[in-house]
Amino acid sequence: MERFTYSPFRLAIAAGLAGSGALLVAFLLFSALQQWRITHQAGHELQLARLTMAGSELVHQLQRERGLSAAVLGDDSATLTRQLTRQRTATDEALSRWQATYTSLRDALPESLEHTSNDMMHQRLDALGSTRELVDAHHYELDGLLRYYTEINRHLITDLKDASTHTDDIMIRRQWLSWYSLALLKDDAGLERALGAWAYANDAMPTAQFRRFMSLIRQQSNYLYAFRIQASPAMVHSGEAVMEAVNEQDIEAERDWIVRQAGHGGFDRDPSRWFSLQTTRIDHLHTLEGRVFHALKDTLDRRDADAEHALWSLAAASIALTAGLMAAGIYLWRRRHQLLCRQAPDD
């Protein structure tokens, strides 16, 4: 008759199997938790991308309004005034979309992005109407005008840099930072457009404005270099393809003319032409910015999908292993019970 015994060897094997199984289940559960965290983070980053893209659209319209306002300060021709009126409508629409997006995502925003709702930001935006009235009345100095719009823009652009700190993925962080560099490049191009438009409209460029004009050209080169370093080779190639349609030769010719005439005026240029040339360039930069956003969104979507697939796979494996261990435990218990029952009559 087979007898059941509690041999040390059997106990060691049973304990080893149980411990190994428990550790494997714990590992699978921990891995599943990690994948859940990645999925949650990817969803969080997608929300940030939506908000920053809405902010980018607002910045783009504010840049155009800044440039046209600067031109109108120097020359209130009917053409520029009509363009500015239409642009203000476009700015108001972009502002409404950004506010709606921010409101819908407000509870999910990290604390570092909460500054977009602080009192100073609201005060700047609330002052948009009074700023426009001062521009229409020609009671606004150029430096103050540029400072007002640029402070709002840089505040919104900073959200891109802040968003890059909320990811542990180096490649995703580089995508955020490439977008940030491109946004700074585009904003400086907008400032250059505003200064040139004002100079042509006012037929003058004082020393302070000239120094800033030259500084903006240098800074744009630095931001373009930073973008090329941080962006993927495919995105750099895409950017070059987008910018091929820009007439850089005409822009450089206009820049050279401003440099030559800055000291004594006499530009003899239509500000609308300069504004149009720079607007084409900035619009193409905005198109590239949209591509960077969609590339980032695609990366986050893929990461989310991969993490979700891994999460379900790990959960299924954990359930299957747990079920297997339970079945093995039940089998061993029943086997022990059967052996004890067979042993009882002999005892």
Side-chain angles (χ1 to χ4, degrees):
M1 177 69 66
E2 183 181 2
R3 299 180 62 84
F4 181 85
T5 59
Y6 290 96
S7 70
F9 181 70
R10 286 186 176 182
L11 288 175
I13 291 177
L17 290 174
S20 300
L23 286 174
L24 184 55
V25 170
F27 172 76
L28 290 173
L29 290 175
F30 175 76
S31 299
L33 180 62
Q34 289 292 96
Q35 295 301 321
W36 176 85
R37 187 185 67 82
I38 292 173
T39 301
H40 178 73
Q41 183 175 343
H44 188 65
E45 290 167 357
L46 282 170
Q47 291 176 329
L48 292 179
R50 283 180 54 203
L51 177 63
T52 47
M53 192 59 196
S56 173
E57 293 290 344
L58 175 57
V59 167
H60 187 65
Q61 300 303 331
L62 286 169
Q63 288 168 344
R64 289 176 64 92
E65 183 171 329
R66 176 180 59 191
L68 285 168
S69 298
V72 167
L73 285 181
D75 180 7
D76 57 352
S77 66
T79 300
L80 288 174
T81 301
R82 284 195 300 270
Q83 289 179 342
L84 179 57
T85 300
R86 289 194 298 269
Q87 180 54 47
R88 287 172 176 174
T89 300
T91 301
D92 291 340
E93 292 172 352
L95 176 58
S96 296
R97 288 192 296 270
W98 175 80
Q99 289 174 331
T101 303
Y102 176 78
T103 300
S104 67
L105 299 176
R106 183 169 186 171
D107 294 338
L109 292 176
E111 292 182 1
S112 63
L113 293 184
E114 284 294 328
H115 64 271
T116 52
S117 65
N118 65 24
D119 292 340
M120 184 174 295
M121 185 65 178
H122 281 300
Q123 289 173 4
R124 290 191 184 107
L125 291 173
D126 290 343
L128 188 57
S130 58
T131 298
R132 290 168 174 175
E133 291 176 359
L134 291 172
V135 170
D136 293 340
H138 288 245
H139 290 162
Y140 218 140
E141 294 294 329
L142 177 65
D143 289 344
L145 174 77
L146 298 182
R147 187 181 310 111
Y148 168 76
Y149 283 100
T150 303
E151 284 177 355
I152 296 176
N153 290 349
R154 292 304 169 99
H155 191 95
L156 291 167
I157 291 172
T158 299
D159 286 350
L160 287 167
K161 186 177 182 181
D162 291 342
S164 70
T165 64
H166 293 278
T167 181
D168 299 326
D169 190 304
I170 297 299
M171 297 305 297
I172 293 177
R173 180 173 296 179
R174 289 183 63 178
Q175 285 182 287
W176 277 111
L177 292 175
S178 69
W179 186 0
Y180 174 64
S181 298
L182 186 61
L184 290 174
L185 165 61
K186 188 163 72 72
D187 196 50
D188 274 5
L191 277 170
E192 181 191 0
R193 174 177 59 186
L195 282 171
W198 182 89
Y200 281 168
N202 209 48
D203 199 25
M205 178 172 275
T207 302
Q209 277 81 32
F210 177 72
R211 288 176 178 170
R212 190 173 189 185
F213 181 82
M214 298 302 296
S215 175
L216 288 169
I217 295 174
R218 289 193 298 270
Q219 287 175 186
Q220 288 176 68
S221 298
N222 293 335
Y223 293 140
L224 180 60
Y225 176 76
F227 168 75
R228 288 173 173 168
I229 291 296
Q230 294 156 347
S232 67
M235 186 55 63
V236 172
H237 178 73
S238 178
E240 292 173 351
V242 169
M243 300 307 293
E244 281 180 358
V246 179
N247 193 337
E248 294 287 355
Q249 292 182 342
D250 282 358
I251 292 176
E252 289 299 327
E254 293 297 322
R255 284 174 171 172
D256 291 343
W257 181 249
I258 290 174
V259 170
R260 287 200 301 269
Q261 301 298 118
H264 47 78
F267 290 108
D268 192 26
R269 286 286 200 275
D270 180 3
S272 296
R273 183 175 183 276
W274 163 262
F275 193 88
S276 178
L277 282 171
Q278 285 285 16
T279 297
T280 299
R281 175 170 176 254
I282 293 169
D283 285 346
H284 280 73
L285 287 171
H286 190 56
T287 298
L288 177 57
E289 190 176 11
R291 293 191 180 186
V292 172
F293 162 73
H294 287 295
L296 173 61
K297 184 177 181 298
D298 288 344
T299 301
L300 294 173
D301 284 337
R302 286 195 302 272
R303 187 186 184 196
D304 185 30
D306 291 344
E308 186 174 356
H309 176 74
L311 175 61
W312 284 111
S313 299
L314 289 168
S318 298
I319 293 172
L321 181 59
T322 302
L325 289 173
M326 290 177 65
I330 293 172
Y331 171 78
L332 290 174
W333 180 85
R334 291 185 64 184
R335 178 64 176 164
R336 174 181 179 276
H337 180 70
Q338 290 172 356
L339 291 174
L340 286 176
C341 288
R342 292 175 184 174
Q343 180 182 341
D346 295 338
D347 294 341

